[in-house]
């Protein structure tokens, strides 16, 4: 419809998505597109007033152009519940549901803007906004000095991408293609695995440094300095990764399309204008920030009401609900035997969080005068290490079958059960110097 309705464009011109730009689309773009639906603009096109017509067309494309549009009513309900003093667990649940379609719409809007800026700038924008929900929640948690929530939520995002999303994709893809040998390009997986191992090293050194010293009080400042230095190193590695991904070796990360798909999208055009997309992106980000504030403020009350630990909610529930759209898209493409896209979503998101969002939070906390280091303690760091190692072993041969995905899912279920039975309160220290795991880790080492 967009190709026959030039009035949809604010500048009066329709830009066709040529082969070069189309093949420059990332796996995240194509994964999110699996949950989109075409809008019928027949009634809107009959409106005589151009401004009203464009406004209604944009609303229909942005709000109703996704299969997750049924979850949008959760946003005003969460706001009403917060304003009128509804029960905190309801506000928390509604806020989580409202974040699900917003995350998918942010991906859609960045892709629309990329039509006008080109694949390189669009890739940078997608890399910046790809995990906007996790970053915004982490910033609000830092402002509330809930360091545990920051660490738990970011760790949970990495674990869910590596074990849950990747495991489900490999398992479902293997079941749906039992008589086919599923193959994927190892080049992208190798690069992401190396960056994840770098992040693991930067997380393990503060932990090992702390327990190798004679006194933890004497090493607190040194551990913090080591964490900040390691964060700077990871950010340098991430920017080098962007150069590698968007300029020098772009072909490793492009979501290649089959010949039958090329016939379907040769005339693909943007459905909203540049400035409309930018305005919608700013508005969506503001709403995500508002709902993130609700989530951070009500997570403890929800934990007490439901009888579930904050660690389980932050590590398991937050990543699953917040990135449900992206995860569902990865699984859908695995069913279609397009594992490169599924791997690009799972490994790309895990890498971005591990080497960009986590160190960025450390730097932001440094600027805010809040003490946050890379010591995620023994249980969390051990879970991260085992997840990265298991993923690296799974992807070492370039082929896949359902058993690999099944084992990754079992690993995720065991880790989830571990944090479910581990009911520890949040750290009461306003600077977050110590997490509530000191007695647990001390018991482990004594054993």
């Amino acid at each position: 419809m967009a190709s026959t309705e030039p009035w949809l464009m604010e500048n009066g011109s329709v830009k066709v998505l040529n082969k070069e730009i189309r093949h420059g689309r990332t796996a995240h773009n194509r994964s999110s597109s699996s949950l989109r639906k075409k809008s019928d603009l027949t009634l809107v096109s009959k409106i005589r007033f151009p401004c009203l017509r464009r406004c209604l067309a944009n609303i229909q494309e942005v709000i109703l152009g996704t299969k997750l549009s049924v979850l949008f009513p959760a946003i005003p309900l969460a706001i009403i519940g917060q304003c009128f003093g509804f029960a905190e667990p309801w506000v928390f649940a509604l806020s989580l549901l409202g974040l699900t379609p917003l995350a998918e719409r942010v991906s859609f809007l960045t892709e629309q803007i990329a039509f006008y800026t080109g694949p390189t700038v669009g890739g940078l924008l997608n890399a910046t906004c790809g995990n906007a929900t996790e970053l915004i929640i982490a910033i609000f948690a830092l402002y509330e000095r809930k360091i545990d929530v920051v660490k738990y939520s970011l760790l949970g995002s990495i674990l869910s991408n590596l074990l849950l999303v990747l495991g489900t994709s490999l398992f479902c893809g293997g079941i749906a293609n039992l008589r086919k040998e599923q193959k994927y390009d190892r080049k992208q997986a190798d690069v992401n695995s190396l960056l994840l191992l770098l992040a693991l090293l930067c997380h393990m050194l503060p932990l090992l440094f702390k327990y190798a010293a004679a006194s933890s009080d004497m090493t607190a400042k040194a551990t913090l300095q080591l964490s900040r230095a390691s964060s700077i190193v990871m950010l340098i590695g991430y920017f080098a990764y962007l150069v590698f991904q968007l300029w020098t070796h772009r072909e490793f990360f492009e979501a290649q399309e089959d010949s039958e798909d090329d016939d379907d999208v040769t005339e693909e055009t943007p459905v909203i204008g540049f400035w409309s997309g930018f305005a919608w992106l700013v508005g969506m980000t503001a709403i995500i920030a508002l709902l993130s504030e609700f989530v951070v403020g009500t997570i403890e009350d929800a934990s007490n009401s439901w009888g579930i630990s904050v660690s389980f909610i932050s590590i398991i529930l937050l990543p699953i609900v917040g990135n449900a759209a992206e995860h569902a898209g990865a699984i859908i493409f695995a069913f279609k035997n397009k594992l490169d896209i599924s791997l690009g979503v799972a490994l790309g998101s895990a890498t971005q969080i591990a080497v960009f969002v986590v160190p960025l939070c450390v730097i932001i906390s440094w600027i805010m005068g809040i003490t946050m280091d890379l010591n995620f303690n023994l249980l969390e760091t051990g879970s991260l290490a085992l997840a990265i190692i298991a993923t690296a072993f799974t992807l070492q041969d370039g082929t896949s079958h359902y058993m690999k995905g099944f084992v990754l899912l079992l690993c995720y279920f065991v880790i989830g059960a571990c944090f479910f039975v581990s009911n520890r309160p949040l750290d009461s220290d306003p600077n977050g110097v110590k997490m509530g795991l000191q007695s647990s880790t001390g018991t482990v080492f004594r054993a």
Side-chain angles (χ1 to χ4, degrees):
M1 185 66 186
S3 60
T4 60
E5 298 291 347
W7 49 266
L8 284 175
M9 301 299 102
E10 293 178 341
N11 55 6
S13 62
V14 180
K15 185 175 181 179
V16 177
L17 185 64
N18 57 33
K19 182 177 179 180
E20 178 184 357
I21 298 178
R22 185 174 69 247
H23 283 183
R25 296 170 67 187
T26 63
H28 289 79
N29 296 135
R30 296 202 61 196
S31 174
S32 298
S33 64
S34 62
L35 295 176
R36 297 169 193 165
K37 60 181 181 180
K38 295 182 179 180
S39 301
D40 187 4
L41 302 175
T42 304
L43 295 177
V44 177
S45 61
K46 297 179 180 180
I47 298 177
R48 297 182 179 181
F49 303 101
C51 293
L52 180 60
R53 187 169 63 221
R54 286 195 296 267
C55 180
L56 293 177
N58 283 339
I59 293 175
Q60 185 168 350
E61 291 288 353
V62 176
I63 302 299
L64 302 179
T66 174
K67 298 176 183 178
L68 300 175
S69 58
V70 294
L71 296 179
F72 274 114
I75 299 175
L77 290 177
I79 298 175
I80 293 173
Q82 180 70 15
C83 295
F84 289 92
F86 288 4
E88 300 292 341
W90 282 103
V91 177
F92 177 81
L94 291 172
S95 300
L96 273 185
L97 291 178
L99 287 173
T100 302
L102 289 175
E104 189 274 334
R105 290 289 85 185
V106 167
S107 176
F108 163 75
L109 292 170
T110 55
E111 183 178 352
Q112 292 297 307
I113 295 176
F115 279 95
Y116 303 93
T117 60
T120 301
V121 178
L124 287 173
L125 186 62
N126 183 266
T128 304
C129 302
N131 295 99
T133 303
E134 291 90 341
L135 181 59
I136 293 174
I137 291 178
I139 291 175
F140 274 101
L142 282 176
Y143 181 77
E144 296 290 335
R145 295 180 181 270
K146 296 181 179 180
I147 310 299
D148 290 2
V149 175
V150 178
K151 294 182 176 181
Y152 285 150
S153 62
L154 297 180
L155 173 67
S157 296
I158 300 174
L159 294 178
S160 66
N161 278 289
L162 293 181
L163 300 180
L164 178 62
V165 180
L166 183 60
T168 307
S169 299
L170 297 181
F171 179 74
C172 294
I175 294 295
N177 301 273
L178 280 175
R179 299 183 180 180
K180 298 179 182 179
E181 184 180 11
Q182 289 192 291
K183 296 182 179 181
Y184 52 85
D185 190 357
R186 286 184 51 194
K187 298 176 182 177
Q188 177 182 357
D190 290 342
V191 174
N192 285 294
S193 298
L194 285 174
L195 288 172
L196 288 172
L197 289 174
L198 170 64
L200 177 60
L201 175 66
C202 294
H203 281 83
M204 289 188 65
L205 287 180
L207 176 66
L208 299 176
F209 183 76
K210 176 180 178 180
Y211 287 102
S215 174
S216 59
D217 296 333
M218 297 177 58
T219 60
K221 183 177 181 180
T223 302
L224 179 61
Q225 294 174 346
L226 175 61
S227 299
R228 290 169 176 174
S230 300
S231 298
I232 295 175
V233 171
M234 283 192 287
L235 288 176
I236 294 174
Y238 178 74
F239 288 123
Y241 169 68
L242 289 181
V243 174
F244 185 85
Q245 179 184 16
L246 299 176
W247 280 283
T248 61
H249 293 73
R250 181 187 296 175
E251 66 276 4
F252 286 4
F253 301 89
E254 290 175 352
Q256 298 296 334
E257 302 177 12
D258 296 335
S259 57
E260 62 270 18
D261 295 335
D262 292 339
D263 298 333
D264 298 333
V265 296
T266 50
E267 296 297 326
E268 186 175 353
T269 58
V271 295
I272 59 176
F274 173 79
W275 290 110
S276 291
F278 184 78
W280 277 107
L281 183 61
V282 173
M284 292 284 184
T285 305
I287 298 175
I288 290 176
L290 180 63
L291 295 182
S292 299
E293 183 179 6
F294 294 166
V295 168
V296 173
T298 58
I299 187 172
E300 293 181 73
D301 293 323
S303 173
N304 296 330
S305 177
W306 297 341
I308 303 175
S309 64
V310 175
S311 61
F312 181 82
I313 294 177
S314 301
I315 294 176
I316 305 299
L317 295 185
L318 278 180
I320 292 178
V321 178
N323 294 316
E326 189 177 78
H327 296 173
I331 297 171
I332 290 173
F333 277 104
F335 270 109
K336 298 178 181 180
N337 200 16
K338 298 180 180 179
L339 285 184
D340 286 328
I341 298 177
S342 301
L343 291 178
V345 172
L347 294 179
S349 295
T351 301
Q352 188 176 36
I353 295 172
V355 299
F356 175 66
V357 179
V358 172
L360 183 62
C361 289
V362 174
I363 300 301
I364 292 176
S365 66
W366 188 7
I367 296 174
M368 297 172 64
I370 300 174
T371 302
M372 175 182 173
D373 55 26
L374 292 176
N375 179 15
F376 280 31
N377 289 290
L378 185 61
L379 181 60
E380 287 79 1
T381 306
S383 301
L384 176 64
L386 293 176
I388 293 176
I389 294 173
T391 303
F393 273 104
T394 301
L395 303 177
Q396 63 181 342
D397 61 350
T399 61
S400 176
H401 46 75
Y402 71 89
M403 193 61 193
K404 289 185 176 181
F406 186 66
V407 172
L408 291 181
L409 286 176
L410 292 180
C411 294
Y412 186 75
F413 292 150
V414 171
I415 292 176
C418 175
F419 288 105
F420 182 79
V421 300
S422 176
N423 191 2
R424 291 184 291 270
L426 286 179
D427 181 22
S428 60
D429 184 9
N431 282 329
V433 177
K434 299 180 181 178
M435 296 179 67
L437 299 174
Q438 299 298 331
S439 60
S440 175
T441 53
T443 303
V444 172
F445 272 100
R446 285 195 299 271

